[in-house]
Amino acid sequence: MIIKQIDWQGTPAYTLENDNLIVSICPSVGNNVYSIWDKTLEREMLRVPASPAAMADEPVQYGTPILMPPNRIRDGRFTFEGRSYQFEINNAQGNHIHGVIKSQPWTVLATGEKDGALYITSVFRLADDAHVQHQFPHELELEVTYELRGSTLRHLLKATNRGQTSAPFGYGLHTWFLLDGEPENWTLQLPASGIWELDETNVPLGHIAPLSDRYAKLPEGDVLKGHDMDTVFQIGDYPCLAVLSGPKADIRYSGSDLFKQWVVYTKGEARDFICLEPYTWVTNAPNIDQPAEVTGFRAIEPGVSLELEVKLEVTYK
C-alpha cells in the first residue's frame, strides 16, 4: 500500500494505491476523486478528465464532484430564518445548479496509513472564499477524508458550523461511472419509493409519484440499455443503496442515513456513462412546501458538527 503526491500535468494530486485499486484525488480542484483504476479488472471506473484544466472548466462533468447544495435552486433564491440567499444563475433555464464548492481549492491536512487503510484528509473553509461568501455567507468548515481499504473507498464528511447563525445544509456527489459503451451488459438496482415530478427545467413541482412502469424494475434490478434518465428518486424507508452490476463485478454505492434522494443521470440514452448522485436534500429543497423529513432540508446550528458517509465497494464475480 502506498500514498503519494503526484504531478498531474502541473497540478498537485494524490494517489492512494493498494492491491485492488488506485484512487486519484485532486484537492486543488474541488477535492474531486477523478479516477479509480481497478487493478483486478484492468479498467477505469470513472469518467476521467483529459487534464486538470478540463476538470476546472467543467467541474461537474468528471470523477466525483462534491455538490453543496446539490442540483438546482429555482432562480438561485431562497429564504431561511428571515435571511435571503441569492446564488449565481449558472444554467440556461435561469436557475442555480450544483452549488458553490464544486471547483474550489481544498487544503490537505493529513495523509497516511492506519489499521490497514490509506487515507487523505482535506478541508475547505467557506469563510476564506469571497466568491462563496457572496452567495452563502456562513462559516462552515468541511473536512473530507477519503479512506481506501481493500476494494472499498469511503468518503467521510464532517461539516462544522464555526459561525453565529444556523446554516442551511444540502450535500451530494455527482459520480460518473463508466458503462464501457455496453449498457446491455450493465444493470442498476435502486430501491426507491417514488420519483419527484419535475417541471421543464428539471425542478421538482413538489409532488412524489409512485414508480412508473418505466422504473418499476429498478428496485430489484434492470438492464440499463434503453434507459434515458435525469430522474430524482425518493428513497423513502429503503437504505440509500445503488448496485451497478457489470459482467465481472458489482459496484455497491451507498450513503448514510442523512441521504434521502438519488438523482440518476445517463446524459441521453444510456451508453457510456451513468451518474449515481446521492443527495441529503432534494433539488430546490428550501423552496418546496413539504416536511423536512421528506425533502431532507436541514440546517447546522452554530458550534454543531454533522457527519455523513458515502461508500463505494467493488465485489468481484
Side-chain angles (χ1 to χ4, degrees):
M1 297 194 302
I2 187 171
I3 180 169
K4 59 184 178 181
Q5 183 175 345
I6 63 170
D7 183 322
W8 180 34
Q9 300 181 35
T11 297
Y14 289 79
T15 58
L16 312 180
E17 180 176 356
N18 63 14
D19 290 340
N20 302 98
L21 302 175
I22 304 174
V23 177
S24 301
I25 303 145
C26 188
S28 63
V29 185
N31 201 26
N32 192 325
V33 173
Y34 64 89
S35 169
I36 302 176
W37 178 259
D38 188 321
K39 296 168 72 172
T40 300
L41 300 183
E42 296 187 331
R43 72 177 292 268
E44 175 60 48
M45 291 174 58
L46 303 180
R47 187 187 191 195
V48 178
S51 65
M55 189 163 73
D57 287 344
E58 296 183 291
V60 183
Q61 294 297 312
Y62 305 100
T64 61
I66 298 174
L67 313 179
M68 194 204 79
N71 216 297
R72 292 160 176 81
I73 300 291
R74 187 187 297 282
D75 302 323
R77 286 200 303 267
F78 68 87
T79 59
F80 174 68
E81 294 187 344
R83 299 187 297 273
S84 296
Y85 296 81
Q86 179 65 64
F87 292 82
E88 66 180 1
I89 304 303
N90 59 357
N91 85 334
Q93 289 79 36
N95 300 312
H96 174 79
I97 188 168
H98 289 331
V100 295
I101 66 169
K102 52 189 177 288
S103 61
Q104 308 308 104
W106 292 55
T107 301
V108 176
L109 296 180
T111 65
E113 178 184 346
K114 183 178 180 181
D115 299 329
L118 298 171
Y119 70 89
I120 177 172
T121 299
S122 301
V123 67
F124 179 68
R125 299 179 178 91
L126 275 65
D128 295 340
D129 191 303
H131 181 70
V132 171
Q133 287 296 295
H134 179 71
Q135 301 172 80
F136 190 72
H138 290 283
E139 297 180 36
L140 286 184
E141 179 180 281
L142 307 178
E143 185 178 292
V144 166
T145 297
Y146 293 113
E147 179 191 277
L148 177 63
R149 183 190 304 273
S151 58
T152 298
L153 177 67
R154 299 170 72 204
H155 173 123
L156 303 162
L157 169 74
K158 181 179 181 181
T160 304
N161 187 349
R162 303 292 187 192
Q164 303 301 313
T165 56
S166 300
F169 184 77
Y171 193 85
L173 301 178
H174 193 302
T175 307
W176 289 82
F177 290 104
L178 295 183
L179 301 177
D180 304 330
E182 300 174 348
E184 68 277 8
N185 292 332
W186 292 83
T187 63
L188 175 66
Q189 181 183 5
L190 189 90
S193 62
I195 58 172
W196 288 81
E197 297 178 348
L198 307 178
D199 69 10
E200 65 279 2
T201 70
N202 283 343
V203 173
L205 294 166
H207 317 295
I208 302 173
L211 294 181
S212 62
D213 290 346
R214 148 184 206 198
Y215 302 121
K217 294 181 180 179
L218 279 180
E220 302 299 326
D222 196 12
V223 176
L224 285 171
K225 184 176 176 61
H227 273 290
D228 184 348
M229 288 186 273
D230 193 354
T231 309
V232 185
F233 293 91
Q234 185 74 6
I235 293 171
D237 293 331
Y238 293 103
C240 177
L241 172 67
V243 183
L244 186 62
S245 298
K248 298 180 179 180
D250 294 338
I251 301 168
R252 297 175 61 87
Y253 203 42
S254 61
S256 49
D257 292 344
L258 292 183
F259 289 95
K260 302 296 185 184
Q261 292 84 24
W262 288 102
V263 170
V264 180
Y265 176 55
T266 55
K267 198 173 176 70
E269 188 169 315
R271 182 179 180 274
D272 296 314
F273 319 110
I274 186 168
C275 295
L276 302 179
E277 308 174 36
Y279 290 177
T280 66
W281 82 20
V282 73
T283 303
N284 199 40
N287 295 316
I288 293 178
D289 186 18
Q290 285 268 22
E293 58 264 27
V294 175
T295 65
F297 182 84
R298 65 175 40 79
I300 304 176
E301 300 300 319
V304 173
S305 294
L306 174 153
E307 297 186 19
L308 54 79
E309 174 183 352
V310 178
K311 183 165 64 174
L312 187 161
E313 181 180 8
V314 184
T315 57
Y316 301 101
K317 297 179 179 179

